[in-house]
Amino acid sequence: MESKGAGGPAAVVCPGCGGSEVRTVEQASTGKGALRDGLIGRLEPGPNKTGDGCMHFVEGMVLTGLGVGLAYMGVDQDKPLYTIGGVALALICFFGTFVVVRDDRRESAAAADGAERAERLWNPAYYCSACTSVFCPGGTPWRGVLTPEQFKKLVWTEGGYADQLEPGDKAKDAEIPHGVLP
């Protein structure tokens, strides 16, 4: 991998191990071996929030319809337990759907608002496959050598959507070293 320096092309070298088998984070997360090494998720620049709200709305309305149908069946067959259960199910699903869709919209808005801030850190980063670390040549816009999980947390935190890291994602528990951002 080469980058243009003042005197012409200069090889990018990993500050962690001194290796020169480095690729940009974008190339590493989409290129050969990305799926095998789990880099697609470990290096993603932000949450993928496309279409969640519409699907959750449809699901909620289908469940609400089932509750209404159950309530109707209870009235029709003179079964009060079905009527009460159907009405309760319909109301819980109806209002629950709007809460979920509202939260989806908020998360999507946070991802869109923070994308530029996150990309400022994500775009210039390089990944070293030899020591599985992420770094920025020259130490700008951030310094140091990070694990993919620390890097993901740094990018997501800067983007303002670190709270959207999924439970079980190692980046959620990763500690970002002090002094990484100038």
Side-chain angles (χ1 to χ4, degrees):
M1 193 56 42
E2 293 186 356
S3 66
K4 296 282 182 182
V12 176
V13 177
C14 174
C17 69
S20 60
E21 293 288 325
V22 298
R23 299 180 285 171
T24 65
V25 168
E26 183 177 7
Q27 292 169 336
S29 63
T30 59
K32 185 177 180 181
L35 188 60
R36 178 190 67 229
D37 296 336
L39 295 177
I40 295 169
R42 292 170 68 199
L43 295 174
E44 65 188 334
N48 184 10
K49 292 290 180 183
T50 56
D52 290 345
C54 292
M55 183 56 80
H56 288 147
F57 180 78
V58 170
E59 291 168 343
M61 290 302 108
V62 167
L63 291 173
T64 300
L66 288 173
V68 169
L70 184 63
Y72 177 76
M73 186 173 79
V75 169
D76 190 44
Q77 296 179 4
D78 196 31
K79 295 185 178 181
L81 186 59
Y82 283 17
T83 304
I84 294 169
V87 168
L89 177 65
L91 289 173
I92 289 169
C93 290
F94 183 76
F95 290 111
T97 296
F98 287 103
V99 169
V100 169
V101 170
R102 182 197 64 206
D103 288 347
D104 285 343
R105 280 190 168 165
R106 286 182 181 168
E107 289 176 355
S108 293
D113 292 344
E116 188 176 318
R117 292 188 310 270
E119 286 182 11
R120 185 180 62 82
L121 300 178
W122 192 79
N123 284 335
Y126 279 78
Y127 174 77
C128 175
S129 55
C131 65
T132 64
S133 62
V134 182
F135 63 95
C136 275
T140 53
W142 55 274
R143 297 182 280 254
V145 178
L146 303 175
T147 66
E149 290 75 24
Q150 290 171 321
F151 172 69
K152 181 177 179 179
K153 185 163 187 176
L154 174 70
V155 170
W156 284 46
T157 301
E158 187 70 14
Y161 37 78
D163 59 329
Q164 295 184 41
L165 287 166
E166 297 290 329
D169 189 334
K170 291 180 182 178
K172 191 173 187 93
D173 299 324
E175 294 288 328
I176 302 170
H178 294 289
V180 170
L181 290 174

